[in-house]
Amino acid sequence: MAARILIIEDNKANLELAEYLLKASGYTTLTATDGEEGVRSARKEHPDLIICDLQMPIMDGYEVVRELKKDPLLRSIPVIAVTALSMPGDRNQVMSAGFDGYLSKPIEPETFAGTVEGFLPPGLRAPRRPGGS
Ligand code: MN
């Protein structure tokens, strides 16, 4: 069965693009537009993967990953940061904050879903459609 993926992102255009691309690849998506709502949704819905923006109102991505990773029921869910990294040390900062991986912005429609899929166990990947790439 294809994964249920929670997207936590305050930018509407990015949220809609990520949601569209993942749905088109066969995934079920859940969305939240700030960190607090994202953590609440994770607790309620137990998604298979979480994609999380870093800069958000109310609760930023660093606080979100801290909350999720200290919860024994949630800490095994992979949390992927989506961010525009610009400095050489940024990746280390993201990874040491507890994220399981990161994707760089802007979202690349050609490769986004495939890259996200790389963070899922094989049993939760959407089946390849005939003729699809
Ligand atoms: Mn943001």
Side-chain angles (χ1 to χ4, degrees), residues 13-56:
N14 282 335
L15 180 66
E16 286 176 356
L17 179 58
E19 191 179 20
Y20 170 79
L21 294 169
L22 292 173
K23 278 184 172 168
S25 289
Y27 294 102
T28 299
T29 56
L30 304 158
T31 60
T33 54
D34 67 62
E36 199 175 81
E37 188 193 347
V39 170
R40 209 181 311 129
S41 175
R43 292 213 161 97
K44 185 166 170 249
E45 303 286 347
H46 265 263
D48 299 301
L49 183 83
I50 297 170
I51 294 171
C52 188
D53 182 28
L54 288 186
Q55 294 176 337
M56 294 183 290

Side-chain angles (χ1 to χ4, degrees), residues 9-11 53 55-56 105:
E9 165 68 81
D10 67 314
N11 179 284
D53 182 28
Q55 294 176 337
M56 294 183 290
K105 275 183 191 173

Side-chain angles (χ1 to χ4, degrees), residues 55-131:
Q55 294 176 337
M56 294 183 290
I58 305 172
M59 186 190 265
D60 70 14
Y62 289 107
E63 291 174 84
V64 169
V65 79
R66 206 177 306 135
E67 280 298 307
L68 296 174
K69 294 303 180 185
K70 76 183 184 197
D71 186 331
L73 298 174
L74 300 176
R75 71 165 58 116
S76 64
I77 302 173
V79 187
I80 311 306
V82 182
T83 183
L85 299 181
S86 47
M87 306 298 283
D90 285 354
R91 186 180 190 282
N92 288 342
Q93 194 193 334
V94 167
M95 297 306 286
S96 63
F99 287 98
D100 299 282
Y102 83 92
L103 289 166
S104 37
K105 275 183 191 173
I107 289 172
E108 198 54 67
E110 297 288 316
T111 57
F112 181 74
T115 308
V116 169
E117 199 161 66
F119 294 104
L120 287 168
L124 290 174
R125 291 176 192 163
R128 286 275 148 260
R129 285 157 300 175

